[in-house]
Amino acid sequence: QVHLVESGGGLVQPGGSLRLSCAASGSIFSIDVMGWYRQAPGKQRELVGSITRSGSTTYADSVQGRFTISRDNAENTVALQMNSLKPEDTAVYYCYAKVLERGRYSYLGYWGQGTQVTVSS
């Protein structure tokens, strides 16, 4: 079994910054893609950004230039640095990882429990 635990959410004023972190633990042999999704009330979950094991990143157009995703392969962690936050960034943010567990032969996707980010004055 694999667990993803997020931390770092909270309330921030427009223009402020927050850093989210996510740690994967369990019977992990390898992690392929890691990423962050978000879901605002009444909206579908959407990709915020992702990062491959080699460090290649992709971002949603709405956060390009403001958010930066990074990972530590040795620690099985992924982080999301969010700058210049806007009210429309308010959502529950979910960590995602595509994991190959020990003894298995295919990668499976796992989700964290989510952390609330609220951008408001």
Side-chain angles (χ1 to χ4, degrees), residues 5-44:
V5 178
E6 302 112 333
S7 61
L11 173 65
V12 63
Q13 292 187 341
S17 298
L18 275 178
R19 183 176 178 85
L20 305 182
S21 298
C22 173
S25 62
S27 183
I28 297 170
F29 180 78
S30 177
I31 301 179
D32 185 10
V33 175
M34 301 187 81
W36 292 90
Y37 286 72
R38 68 186 181 186
Q39 187 167 20
K43 295 188 177 182
Q44 290 188 331

Side-chain angles (χ1 to χ4, degrees), residues 42-74:
K43 295 188 177 182
Q44 290 188 331
R45 190 173 296 189
E46 63 175 2
L47 175 68
V48 176
S50 64
I51 183 168
T52 66
R53 187 170 181 83
S54 62
S56 296
T57 56
T58 59
Y59 296 96
D61 289 343
S62 58
V63 307
Q64 183 76 43
R66 300 188 297 123
F67 291 10
T68 302
I69 190 169
S70 60
R71 67 186 280 178
D72 184 327
N73 291 331

Side-chain angles (χ1 to χ4, degrees), residues 70-102:
S70 60
R71 67 186 280 178
D72 184 327
N73 291 331
E75 298 293 330
N76 291 329
T77 59
V78 62
L80 182 68
Q81 178 65 42
M82 303 184 293
N83 299 327
S84 302
L85 282 160
K86 304 175 181 180
E88 50 263 43
D89 294 318
T90 295
V92 177
Y93 284 69
Y94 296 90
C95 174
Y96 171 83
K98 196 173 180 183
V99 179
L100 179 62
E101 295 179 67
R102 293 189 182 93

Side-chain angles (χ1 to χ4, degrees), residues 105-120:
Y105 300 97
S106 60
Y107 285 84
L108 295 176
Y110 288 90
W111 294 90
Q113 79 286 356
T115 185
Q116 178 70 45
V117 171
T118 302
V119 185
S120 175

